[in-house]
Structures are given as C-alpha cells and as structure tokens.
Amino acid sequence: MSCHTSLLYLYPRLFSSLLSSLFSLSQSQSHRKLETKPPSRLTQVDEMALFTFCPVLSSSSVLSSTTPNLVHTTRTQTRTRSGAKAVTLAASSSSEDSDKSTKLVTFLGKGGSGKTTSAIFAAQHYAMAGFSTCLVIHTQDPTAEFLLSCKIGTSPVLCSENLSTLRFETTKMLLGPLKQLKQADARLNMTQGVLEGIFGEELGVLPGMDPIFSALALERLVGFFGNVAQRNHNKDKFDIIVYDGMSSEEMLRMISAAGKARLYLKYLRNVADKTDFGRMAGPSLLRLVDEAMSLTNSTNLFNGNRSADIWNSVEKMLERGSSAFSEPQKFGCFLVLDPNNPASISSALRYWGCTIQAGGQISGAFATSSPNLNTESEEELKNKFSPLPFAFIPHISQSSLPLDWVAITQNTVGESARNLLSTTASGSSSLMSSVTFDAARKSVILFMPGFDKSEIKLYQYRGGSELLVEAGDQRRVIYLPPKIQGKVGGAKFIDRSLVITMR
C-alpha cells in the first residue's frame, strides 16, 4: 500500500485529474440514484481520505496482472527414471486436479542454510518425475544459474526436460498492472487520457514494491484466487511452481496477505456504504476496479446494485486465496536448515511458528547431509522438529561443472527427501492442526513452535467470540465455538503449545 501511495506523490497531475473526473461522474450518479441533495464541498480531511483510499483500490485492480509475455511450456509425457515411480503415479492419478490448479512449493530458512539449493533439488526431482515444473527466483543472485548451468531470463526458459526457469524482475512486472489500468481507463474515460501519458518503462522500483509485484506474478502462475486468474492463464500451464523468493519474511507476508486484506476490505466497504464520501466516490472507483479485473460477468450498465456484486466478488477472491495456503494439494512449504549451525536450527523453528501465525502450514523440514552428523545427532535433530517429516538432501559439491543432477537426485542420501517431496506433490500429506478446542475443559490449545510465552500476546475486541493472537510480527484471529466462548481466564505454555483457559 505504501508503494502505491508513493506513486500518488510522484504523479499529482494524473491523480488530480482522476479525482476531478471521479467527482463529476459521481455527482451525476448521486443526483440520479443515490442522493437528493447536492454533495457538500470536500474538506481537507476528505481529500486526504480520498488520497489514501485510491491506492488501495487501484492495487486491488492489478491482482490478476503479472510479468508480460509469459510463455508456459507444454506439459510432456515422459518415461520416468528410477526412483520417481511414486511421484509419477501421483501425477497420473491427480491429472484431473492438476488441470484445475498449479501447486506452489517454497522454502523458508535463515540465509545461507541452503534454500536455493533445496529449491533446485526439488525442481529437478519434480521434473524428472514427469511434472511440468518451473523454478522461479526473485533475486539477482546468479547462484541458481551457476548450479543449473542455464541462463535464467524474465520469460520461462527450458533448461531441461520438463524443467523451466524464470526470474522475476520488478521493473518488468509493474508494466502489466499499468497496462490493465490504461485499458480500463480507455473504456471508462475516467482520466481523460492522462494515464496514456505515463510510460511504465521510465518508472523505477520503490521500497515495498518487490513483494507486492512478486505476489501478483505468482498469482498469475498458480491461480490461487480462482476464476479471475484462470482467465489469464494460457491453456498449458505448469503442474508445479518452485519459488525461491527474496527472503523468508517476504514469503510469510505473502502467505498472510489475502487473509489480512479481507479485514481491510471490510472496513473499506463500511466507508463506502455508510459515509457520504463513500457513497459519492465508491461507485466510480468500483467501476474502475471491475473493469480492470473483470470481476463480474455482467454486461449491464453500472448501477447501485452492482456495487455490492463487486464487493462480494473481491471478498470471495480473497477468501479463495487465503484458504489455498492451508491446502496441501495447492501449497507446500518446507523449512531448510544447516544441521551444523545452531542459529540456522533456531531460525527454522521460529519460521515454523511464524508460518502458522500467517495462516499457512509447514509440510516438512530439510537439512543438508553432513559427515559431522552421527546417528544420535540426526535423531536429536528430528525430535526437535517432530511431528514434522524430516529429510536430508545430498551435499552438493561445486568443484566440477556442470553438475550431474540425475546422479544428485538419485543419491541414496536423498531418498527420504524424494519421498517427502513425492508425498506433498500428490497432495496426500496430512498436516496437523495448529488449534485444538477442548469443550470439556473450556480451553484452547495453540501449537506455536519457536516461541515462548513472553513473546505471545492475547487480545479480545469483540466480546468472547474470538481471540486475537500476536506473535512473530503476525496477528491471527481464532474464532471460538459457542461452548468455549468467554473471557480469557489464564494461559500457560506446555511443550511448544499455549494452553488458554476461558471463563
């Protein structure tokens, strides 16, 4: 949101024209349908509110946009190599589901723990198993090119059979949303052609833009938001997207974005429905959103009833996107750690808890095999991450290039990693619930690994029907069943879980 607000400051002429056109259009509509009295003059506070209101809706209008000229590789039927039989069977048995959605796989961990290496290992494994796979990176670090011996560009490049690579660059990705807004404005004539005077190629990247546009570009590839994104997909799409992002924190924000946006949308809708300012400016802004995103299929002229349809469409879209990160058949998230680095292990545990707070689930944990680890150390490490599935990937020596990825992926050391990836690829993995309700004891048990009691804060703002849990720079709302609703009576931390007693 901050990046869009910054753009307003950069282009005052554009948005002053947009405001004037919105005002005139809304005046005519309000005289005709909504209001019997003329709208009052905007005060300075009203102007600042509109100044803040516009970028939020305009950012929603580009949810279905992404990198221009993305070309998907056609899914190929290949004979699988040894060791990939389980994945191939899963792919064929779920071919009907794969036509509907693309699975997103990503990795969280401390820098230097092996996230990029793990992402490449996973992408190679899926590709060799017959899945049409795309490895997506969002960094200028050439490590992936070095390990793959393949030049990675801003359009999908086929590196090997079934494996394509793609690099996200924000300077390229911001062109798509601007183009969509221009097309919508050309139909509505809301800025009288001012948008046509903006050339996306001359715009730079502001702080905060990278995660926003990477989320939009990923949505283009995976289609978590449903029909809006599916209309933008090419006929042939990837089965699996393996994403190696800029940081683990960026990925956590991406996981929580849709769920958190629903609350902002609720408040915006209240402003639009219950204030004079909202009733005046809301319909015009919603019309621009609907045109840019094609939310509704209606071809009727814009009217008051259709405003509610657009709000409902955005709400349903965000609900689909939020729920996708908790569905193992659509999203797989793995922890990565260096078994010889205590800080890396501690960070992985912390990211486990943060992912739960963000509304996602961890599918398993990976560590790079090390000659310094004995059987006892391995078991101790697995116990720390129990009940998560834990696996080791082979240590990759970069002394000789190009790397033989067939030999690496089929290394016996990585057998447990291949099995774990195969299970998550089929969507058959079972994830433990992070919230347990005990009606008999009137208590709530929150599984929160990586935290201690002092780092967790509880709030109640709407009586006793819900709990707001704050930890790891994330806020999560827990809706309580009727038999447990009430005020918090006490809380204690037992074995990585917070036990809350209600009264």
Side-chain angles (χ1 to χ4, degrees):
M1 177 174 174
S2 60
C3 66
H4 292 285
T5 307
S6 302
L7 284 177
L8 297 185
Y9 285 105
L10 291 175
Y11 297 99
R13 177 171 173 267
L14 161 64
F15 285 95
S16 63
S17 175
L18 175 60
L19 293 184
S20 62
S21 60
L22 287 177
F23 188 86
S24 61
L25 179 59
S26 300
Q27 267 190 316
S28 61
Q29 289 178 342
S30 60
H31 279 297
R32 185 170 61 252
K33 298 177 183 178
L34 301 175
E35 299 287 342
T36 57
K37 60 181 181 179
S40 58
R41 181 180 178 274
L42 286 178
T43 64
Q44 185 177 3
V45 175
D46 292 328
E47 291 174 349
M48 287 303 296
L50 185 57
F51 191 75
T52 307
F53 189 69
C54 287
V56 177
L57 287 180
S58 60
S59 65
S60 298
S61 67
V62 297
L63 279 173
S64 60
S65 59
T66 185
T67 310
N69 301 325
L70 286 181
V71 180
H72 297 291
T73 56
T74 303
R75 188 180 310 149
T76 57
Q77 301 295 328
T78 59
R79 183 174 59 86
T80 59
R81 297 174 174 86
S82 60
K85 181 178 180 181
V87 185
T88 307
L89 292 176
S92 60
S93 64
S94 60
S95 59
E96 187 174 318
D97 291 337
S98 65
D99 290 337
K100 298 178 182 179
S101 63
T102 298
K103 186 179 180 72
L104 175 64
V105 175
T106 192
F107 299 84
L108 302 177
K110 184 179 181 298
S113 297
K115 293 198 305 295
T116 299
T117 302
S118 300
I120 296 175
F121 179 89
Q124 290 282 4
H125 170 73
Y126 290 136
M128 293 178 188
F131 287 101
S132 177
T133 307
C134 184
L135 172 67
V136 179
I137 61 173
H138 192 184
T139 175
Q140 292 300 310
D141 185 349
T143 299
E145 293 181 334
F146 182 78
L147 294 177
L148 288 170
S149 298
C150 177
K151 189 67 175 177
I152 302 176
T154 56
S155 294
V157 176
L158 189 64
C159 286
S160 60
E161 191 173 39
N162 288 331
L163 176 60
S164 298
T165 57
L166 171 66
R167 186 191 303 278
F168 282 169
E169 290 186 354
T170 309
T171 52
K172 304 291 192 304
M173 292 190 291
L174 62 82
L175 299 178
L178 179 60
K179 181 180 179 181
Q180 276 193 292
L181 285 176
K182 286 183 176 181
Q183 291 173 343
D185 182 61
R187 295 189 293 269
L188 300 175
N189 195 30
M190 296 183 69
T191 67
Q192 288 80 51
V194 175
L195 273 178
E196 286 299 322
I198 298 178
F199 300 99
E201 289 77 8
E202 66 182 6
L203 298 179
V205 178
L206 300 177
M209 282 186 172
D210 295 298
I212 292 175
F213 283 97
S214 63
L216 301 180
L218 274 179
E219 162 56 21
R220 168 78 177 190
L221 293 172
V222 299
F224 279 176
F225 288 101
N227 60 341
V228 175
Q230 286 174 3
R231 286 198 293 269
N232 294 321
H233 281 180
N234 290 328
K235 183 177 180 180
D236 297 307
K237 63 180 188 294
F238 297 109
D239 297 316
I240 296 177
I241 301 293
V242 179
Y243 179 62
D244 182 26
M246 299 182 71
S247 68
S248 297
E249 283 72 17
E250 174 210 36
M251 192 64 223
L252 288 171
R253 294 299 184 204
M254 197 178 300
I255 292 172
S256 65
K260 302 300 183 288
R262 294 177 66 187
L263 184 60
Y264 284 92
L265 183 72
K266 173 185 174 182
Y267 290 138
L268 281 175
R269 186 169 187 174
N270 285 339
V271 171
D273 291 343
K274 300 178 181 180
T275 65
D276 292 339
F277 158 71
R279 287 190 291 268
M280 178 185 66
S284 298
L285 291 172
L286 282 174
R287 185 180 181 186
L288 179 63
V289 172
D290 187 46
E291 285 288 335
M293 297 177 63
S294 299
L295 290 174
T296 62
N297 296 320
S298 174
T299 56
N300 298 328
L301 294 176
F302 184 78
N303 54 61
N305 294 330
R306 192 175 160 196
S307 297
D309 294 336
I310 299 174
W311 283 115
N312 293 336
S313 296
V314 176
E315 165 66 20
K316 291 178 181 178
M317 180 186 67
L318 292 176
E319 183 179 1
R320 286 192 296 267
S322 177
S323 63
F325 287 101
S326 60
E327 299 177 17
Q329 66 270 25
K330 292 184 178 180
F331 179 65
C333 186
F334 298 92
L335 301 174
V336 181
L337 57 106
D338 180 353
N340 298 315
N341 186 345
S344 177
I345 297 173
S346 178
S347 295
L349 288 169
R350 182 77 165 201
Y351 285 131
W352 186 6
C354 289
T355 303
I356 293 174
Q357 272 290 98
Q361 288 283 359
I362 296 296
S363 305
F366 288 112
T368 304
S369 62
S370 170
N372 299 326
L373 282 181
N374 53 38
T375 304
E376 183 179 351
S377 299
E378 288 184 6
E379 290 302 318
E380 181 181 351
L381 193 59
K382 291 179 180 179
N383 289 334
K384 284 186 178 181
F385 289 87
S386 176
L388 281 183
F390 196 95
F392 287 89
I393 63 173
H395 174 73
I396 298 176
S397 175
Q398 302 178 13
S399 57
S400 60
L401 294 175
L403 297 176
D404 185 354
W405 280 102
V406 174
I408 293 173
T409 54
Q410 300 306 318
N411 190 305
T412 55
V413 175
E415 182 179 0
S416 59
R418 295 195 304 272
N419 292 337
L420 178 53
L421 290 169
S422 301
T423 302
T424 56
S426 64
S428 60
S429 58
S430 58
L431 303 176
M432 66 170 292
S433 175
S434 61
V435 182
T436 304
F437 300 108
D438 189 340
R441 299 182 179 180
K442 203 174 182 181
S443 64
V444 184
I445 303 174
L446 305 180
F447 182 63
M448 304 191 69
F451 298 108
D452 57 49
K453 184 179 177 180
S454 64
E455 297 175 302
I456 305 172
K457 295 179 175 60
L458 302 175
Y459 302 93
Q460 287 185 292
Y461 291 110
R462 292 176 175 82
S465 63
E466 61 185 46
L467 275 175
L468 176 64
V469 184
E470 181 179 318
D473 200 21
Q474 298 278 353
R475 294 190 179 104
R476 175 173 53 144
V477 176
I478 307 296
Y479 297 99
L480 303 176
K483 292 184 178 180
I484 300 182
Q485 291 181 2
K487 299 294 183 180
V488 174
K492 56 184 178 180
F493 208 79
I494 303 175
D495 190 24
R496 298 182 297 179
S497 296
L498 183 68
V499 181
I500 306 167
T501 303
M502 309 301 294
R503 55 179 173 83

